[in-house]
Amino acid sequence: MRTAVCPGSFDPVTNGHLDIIKRTAKMVDKVIVAVLYNPNKNPLFTVEERRTLLGEVLKEIPNVEIDCFSGLLVDYVKERKIDVIVKGLRAISDFEYEFQMALMNKKLSPEVETIFMMTNNEYSYLSSSVIKETCKFKGCIDGLVPDKVKDALIKKFE
Ligand code: ADP
């Protein structure tokens, strides 16, 4: 059985993330969407809230599991017996960071592979931060996040 992990902050999940997760789910037996718990970041949503939103918007996809992790991704990958790390690539700016992370992970754990999936051009400009910033100032985010996420964001900024 082939298992992939899609790791990220998902603060909150956007349609760009969902596109990558759903495409990955078609290629492997199981996808673990792993929410990174990073105490150095100041997230808008708690890890629990992010997990709940992910669970709600992915409930129709049977081979997706939502989990969270802290510490090194390669340790989590080994612990959960994951075969491949899947990351989305939006632009050159993502490439530099992801290139560094993939090589560092390879150095730490040579048997772990990272593969990259090109963004859907409809969502190539989307990030959780741009969504938060837009929603905070009452800009329209329809079609960029699921309705449940939009409602949760509006509530946070009330
Ligand atoms: P963000 O930059 O939105 O805060 P995360 O840290 O949650 O993203 O990202 C998790 C993964 O999802 C990363 O591999 C990132 O490149 C990818 N990703 C995020 N947004 C998009 C998008 N719009 N299209 C493709 N991949 C994306």
Side-chain angles (χ1 to χ4, degrees):
M1 170 152 139
R2 289 261 141 204
T3 304
V5 63
C6 291
S9 309
F10 306 105
D11 185 39
V13 58
T14 69
N15 286 352
H17 293 128
L18 290 177
D19 179 71
I20 299 289
I21 296 165
K22 288 177 184 173
R23 283 159 63 197
T24 305
K26 287 188 192 154
M27 297 189 309
V28 296
D29 301 303
K30 180 173 164 181
V31 183
I32 301 176
V33 179
V35 180
L36 172 64
Y37 173 71
N38 182 350
N40 300 329
K41 276 200 180 171
N42 192 10
L44 180 64
F45 292 94
T46 65
V47 169
E48 267 323 303
E49 288 170 329
R50 285 179 262 159
R51 280 183 76 158
T52 306
L53 280 173
L54 278 161
E56 283 173 2
V57 299
L58 286 163
K59 64 170 184 269
E60 258 99 72
I61 321 263
N63 60 337
V64 171
E65 176 193 324
I66 319 295
D67 194 14
C68 62
F69 75 105
S70 58
L72 290 179
L73 177 61
V74 286
D75 290 338
Y76 176 76
V77 163
K78 276 188 220 154
E79 183 195 312
R80 298 276 337 244
K81 301 190 170 26
I82 288 163
D83 301 290
V84 63
I85 301 169
V86 177
K87 306 292 301 276
L89 268 191
R90 280 164 293 196
I92 305 291
S93 50
D94 269 352
F95 178 80
E96 270 188 48
Y97 174 76
E98 296 294 353
F99 181 69
Q100 186 181 27
M101 288 308 297
L103 292 185
M104 190 62 199
N105 286 338
K106 198 83 193 154
K107 168 90 183 118
L108 291 171
S109 192
E111 68 281 8
V112 176
E113 289 298 345
T114 305
I115 65 166
F116 294 96
M117 204 175 270
M118 204 51 73
T119 183
N120 179 327
N121 68 352
E122 263 183 72
Y123 306 127
S124 59
Y125 59 93
L126 269 194
S127 69
S128 298
S129 343
V130 96
I131 289 291
K132 284 183 277 192
E133 200 66 6
T134 307
C135 190
K136 186 172 167 185
F137 297 109
K138 314 253 182 294
C140 177
I141 54 167
D142 290 350
L144 304 180
V145 294
D147 287 345
K148 278 208 159 69
V149 174
K150 179 184 156 189
D151 295 345
L153 276 162
I154 291 172
K155 223 167 161 190
K156 278 276 178 199
F157 290 123
E158 252 167 21

